[in-house]
Amino acid sequence: MKRAVFILFPFWVLAVVLAACSSPFSSPPPEVNPTASLQALTPPTSTPEPTPTSAPGLAVLIPDPSHPEWTEPALAVLQELTAPAGLTVETSSQLDPAPLPSRLQLVVSLASLPDLPALLTANPQVQFLVVTDQSIDPAANLTVLHLDSEAQMFVAGLASTLLSNDWRAAGLIPAESPTLQEAFVNGGRYYCGECAPGWPLGFNFPLAGGAQPPQDGPAWQAVAASFFDQGKVDVFFLSPEATRPEVLAYLNGLSQFDTPVRLVGILPPPPEVQSQWALSVSFDLPSALRQALPGLLGGKSAGQLTVPIDLTHINPDLFTPGRERLVRAIMQEVISGQISPLSVPGE
């Protein structure tokens, strides 16, 4: 009997083990999802929201309606020098005295601003540059490019008188600007003294005169005709106010004693009198801007600078290189202050 129990015992143990393996209380091993496991190990990330970018800084150019020829050169210099700073350049006819846009950094005005004090006070963070021939009170955020119109007229009178073999030159200059007329006459007389050729009698050259009102084209034409007929003038200087269609039509092709009338001005030569145009006595505004703008872009005023004078649109067949050298030499003495436009030595 004991032998039978001993023989059956191993089978009983094996049955117990097999029953345990198939117990309903044991659960099968979980299935593993590799992708889910990787996601569980990777921390969640959020999509970054776009960071708002501020608008680029702004520079504004205000043209001068009476000198449209200045706009394009000034704009080119402004765009060139502000590009490294990332400024956007715009043009505007005027500015509101109220606080300006916060991104505005620089205002370049080629004309006088009547509300300038209010603009300077309301916008201390903006640097202003103004081109003017007027006197302006200084300010921490103001740079003035001063136009010495008297010096310009002196040089114009000198060049015009040099162009005429016997000094018979005349300047068409507004009557409202007597000091400019005086400077023009002094420029000619600095070269030739009394400038009295002896004929026509009673005339000392150069002459200067203007029309009333200055917007009256036919009146300017009448002044030019008077100088031509009575003074036998063969060289005319045309101020911007006198450069009018009526005057240009009168002077176009005009000759004095078989000598074509030659013309000097400030503006570029009008097409209808291109062949008679000897030179322009201009302000070199681009060079003055190049001198002032780097400091302004750094937030520092340049104070007051004088815009240099230059001879442009030269016709060497009319205004010969020898005449040009002489005028440029005297012009530098005027610019440096060695010669006063309103005081001629010996008078």
Side-chain angles (χ1 to χ4, degrees), residues 77-89 297:
V77 173
L78 189 57
Q79 290 174 331
E80 175 191 342
L81 296 186
T82 58
L87 268 64
T88 299
V89 179
L297 294 172

Side-chain angles (χ1 to χ4, degrees), residues 312-334:
T312 62
H313 304 92
I314 295 174
N315 182 341
D317 294 331
L318 302 179
F319 192 63
T320 59
R323 287 185 169 103
E324 180 183 350
R325 284 194 296 270
L326 177 57
V327 171
R328 286 191 182 277
I330 298 174
M331 181 174 71
Q332 292 307 313
E333 295 183 14
V334 176

Side-chain angles (χ1 to χ4, degrees), residues 132-253:
T132 180
D133 59 358
Q134 305 298 314
S135 177
I136 300 180
D137 292 335
N141 57 336
L142 173 64
T143 295
V144 175
L145 295 187
H146 182 253
L147 303 172
D148 191 343
S149 299
E150 294 170 0
Q152 183 187 39
M153 289 298 101
F154 184 96
V155 174
L158 171 66
S160 300
T161 305
L162 266 172
L163 270 169
S164 178
N165 292 330
D166 48 7
W167 316 315
R168 286 182 284 112
L172 301 182
I173 302 167
E176 293 80 3
S177 304
T179 57
L180 298 185
Q181 291 188 1
E182 181 183 356
F184 178 86
V185 171
N186 287 347
R189 294 182 181 175
Y190 181 85
Y191 168 69
C192 61
E194 291 186 354
C195 306
W199 189 86
L201 296 176
F203 283 89
N204 284 30
F205 294 93
L207 307 176
Q212 288 284 2
Q215 299 82 14
D216 190 341
W220 280 110
Q221 179 183 338
V223 174
S226 174
F227 285 156
F228 180 82
D229 294 333
Q230 299 177 28
K232 308 305 177 186
V233 168
D234 57 15
V235 175
F236 283 90
F237 168 78
L238 305 181
S239 66
E241 294 83 356
T243 310
R244 298 185 173 274
E246 297 86 351
V247 175
L248 298 176
Y250 173 73
L251 296 175
N252 186 10

